[in-house]
């Protein structure tokens, strides 16, 4: 049963009910703050930076019919869900939480104590309570002191990996904003000019009257993200040359002519969902390593995408990308040079979540994953091309599209899109 | 002793060493991901969204001199510190961590297991290990299984509440960027015009060809934050009228003539430190509740600031603000109407940290706190004025300044500052 808030994200507590039934548990508890993505998914509450709790118990009607079993005919999730929120955030919690009850009593107590009280109030007096393995230790201890046996569950990891249509819609919207960020970066780089005499003769790319650094470019990207209502979330990775071979470079580096400039944009939207897109450019490249790398990564991307569909082992997708890169002469067996990472990861309310394309499982319809082959060499630079796709029964939907070109703005008849923020 | 990274933030592990000595502990362990602010403070590592560990043990030289006692003459912190980082982030960890060692071995193991191995490798074979009370439960269990006794400590909360000069410098820079965001909001509101016929006769404020909403205004603010190299962090609270009385409104609401528009900007800078500033405006106010509220809050702000200095009880600062608001006829005894919250909180790598101005302690030099009286009435609106101050021995330093005016742009000879982003 759901409370008064329209649940526009289709949050489905049925996997929690099923897990409770399978494990013969009387409850499920998660404790965390606004930075805990499990809590965000469970509650849709963009709460404060101090702890609150989500509590699920067997729904009263179902409990009466015996042992917490689900009644698949009642059209409900089979759980009663509560959010124990801080009082100052009660109004917001009631506006955002799609579950049954927002509780603001017992403000002085730690979240774990309040969760135990909520379990008891819902009639779950003793027995097993399922928790995510990373629940704060003090909350676990409080639950144990209240007489519950704690057992960890990965039900949230599994449940979150398959998205509802509404979640995919949010991901699509954020990805479109992310693509605008890439477009802005390409626009700036297309306007930039090589200056071999800059920086004491080391050379640099100049833009808008000054040397262009990764940080100047990052600010241009982040402005466009903000204009489109998403936040960069500290994730706008831009590296140039050697720092493009650093997978997560968020520092300041001068951009030099011919160097690969790798731009990985992963903003977060207002509902908590992330986008994730990467393009690589070079201003005035000389046709060496970076062109070979770009071509190889484009081919690897296509090879990986060709495999994506429900039922396909994740390792097949990664294997095809790796094989293509290997065929182009790039190493796939090193942590430092060549293809050093997995082909992709799930994206949702966490930037990195299940399924991993380096993992063992099969893709399922509703998975949303990045496809992001890349090759790196600290002596040369780095090239990565990344898109976000929703897995479907017979293939995939590309969430947000952006064309490919190593040289910025170098597409006949297809200029980089205009910045179109307000 | 420190490793090869210049520690530009003056991170001081001495309080951890002292706590270990006081508690007769062999180690200190914190486990968390990039969203854990304790980890950020301890490691300066802006790591990934999966868990890593910080481990401190008694420094070898000190251990030799007996029982983990500090040698105050060696000019070192007395601890050996390690960061157990994910391999893909090893380069970044070595760049950012000011402690002794970055360890990337045992990638397949959970962070708690790696922390236990690091303790053992440093010679701490058994005994008490101090942990923050919110350490992930699985990490605590792994440490216990490795033979350590776990005991919680609040040493980080205490240590973080007093800032180094370098930390105050970072907070000052972020606050200056936050003030630019407020300036942009005032600029937009100064350009806006009341339109009593808009929105079906309900009236609205128009700007740049359309109705101005809290979300449109928020995007303008967030663009300026991005242009100045800080991120809005999802914290740009803008409410209008009834939603200005909601302390944390981040939704979309039409801004109407005469309504209070409350803008609370709390961006995060690249080193992880936050800013926090609030101003309140009204376009074409009618001189009623909002003017009385503004005047009262201005006076409360001055009364609170007059008390701020090292050695003053935090409750005195709050008491003076409350007394002033009460003297102006506003309630101070309700959760819904009047002055509903504390006068301020500490700001650092968390937006909310110690000390609280609603708490029991005394202010200390190096505390950085908000001063943010406000009054709210869901039937009228909300007014809050917030600044950030560093407590000094004989008073305070205002970090980032911005003038006061209920009517945007209505300061003789002192127009809102120009937007000056790139």
């Amino acid at each position: 049963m759901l409370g008064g808030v329209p649940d526009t994200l289709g949050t489905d507590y049925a996997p929690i009910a099923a897990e409770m039934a399978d494990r013969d548990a009387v409850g499920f508890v998660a404790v965390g703050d606004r930075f805990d993505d499990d809590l965000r998914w469970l509650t849709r509450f963009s709460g404060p930076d101090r702890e609150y709790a989500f509590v699920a118990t067997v729904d009263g009607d179902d409990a009466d019919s015996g042992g917490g079993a689900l009644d698949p005919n009642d059209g409900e999730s089979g759980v009663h869900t509560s959010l124990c929120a801080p009082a100052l955030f009660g109004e917001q919690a009631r506006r955002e939480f799609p579950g049954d009850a927002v509780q603001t009593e017992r403000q002085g107590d730690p979240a774990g104590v309040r969760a135990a009280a909520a379990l008891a109030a819902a009639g779950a007096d003793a027995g097993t309570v399922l928790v995510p393995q990373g629940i704060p230790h003090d909350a676990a201890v409080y639950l144990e002191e209240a007489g519950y046996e704690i057992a960890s569950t990965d039900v949230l990891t599994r449940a979150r990996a398959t998205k509802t249509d509404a979640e995919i819609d949010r991901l699509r919207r954020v990805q479109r904003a992310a693509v605008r960020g890439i477009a802005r970066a390409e626009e700036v780089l297309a306007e930039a000019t090589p200056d071999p005499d800059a920086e004491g003769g080391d050379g640099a790319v100049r833009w808008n009257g000054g040397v262009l650094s990764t940080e100047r470019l990052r600010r241009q990207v982040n402005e466009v993200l903000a204009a489109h209502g998403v936040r960069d979330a500290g994730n706008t990775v831009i590296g140039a040359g050697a720092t493009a071979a650093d997978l997560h470079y968020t520092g300041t580096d001068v951009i030099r002519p011919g160097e690969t400039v790798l731009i990985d944009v992963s903003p977060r939207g207002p509902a908590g969902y992330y986008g994730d897109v990467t393009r690589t450019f070079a201003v005035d490249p000389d046709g060496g390593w970076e062109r070979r790398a770009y071509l190889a990564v484009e081919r690897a991307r296509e090879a990986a995408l060709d495999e994506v569909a429900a039922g396909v082992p994740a390792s097949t997708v990664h294997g095809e990308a790796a094989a293509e890169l290997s065929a182009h002469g790039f190493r796939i067996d090193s942590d430092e040079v060549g293809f050093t990472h997995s082909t992709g990861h799930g994206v949702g309310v966490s930037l990195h979540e299940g399924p991993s394309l380096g993992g063992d499982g099969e893709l399922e319809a509703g998975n949303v994953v990045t496809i992001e082959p890349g090759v790196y060499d600290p002596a040369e630079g780095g090239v990565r091309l990344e898109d976000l796709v929703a897995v479907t029964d017979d293939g995939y939907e590309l969430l947000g599209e952006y064309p490919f070109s190593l040289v910025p703005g170098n597409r006949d008849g297809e200029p980089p899109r205009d910045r179109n923020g307000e």
Side-chain angles (χ1 to χ4, degrees), chain A residues 25-118:
Chain A
V26 299
F28 168 92
V29 170
V31 171
D33 63 16
R34 68 178 303 180
F35 303 111
D36 184 305
D37 297 332
D38 280 341
L39 263 288
R40 183 64 183 267
W41 185 87
L42 285 165
T43 68
R44 305 307 180 181
F45 176 49
S46 54
D49 54 0
R50 57 180 184 277
E51 286 180 352
Y52 43 95
F54 170 87
V55 177
T57 50
V58 178
D59 190 84
D61 298 337
D62 298 310
D64 291 343
S65 67
L70 274 173
D71 178 354
N73 299 320
D74 70 357
E76 297 176 351
S77 63
V79 286
H80 181 274
T81 55
S82 300
L83 169 59
C84 302
L88 276 179
F89 288 76
E91 186 171 344
Q92 180 184 342
R94 278 181 280 271
R95 197 166 62 227
E96 296 177 343
F97 182 50
D100 296 310
V102 171
Q103 301 179 333
T104 54
E105 58 267 36
R106 306 185 65 146
Q107 285 299 314
D109 289 339
V113 172
R114 296 176 65 195

Side-chain angles (χ1 to χ4, degrees), chain A residues 290-300 328 383:
Chain A
E290 66 278 6
R291 285 196 184 276
R292 288 194 299 111
Y294 200 97
L295 180 67
V297 173
E298 269 195 293
R299 295 286 176 272
H328 280 78
V383 172

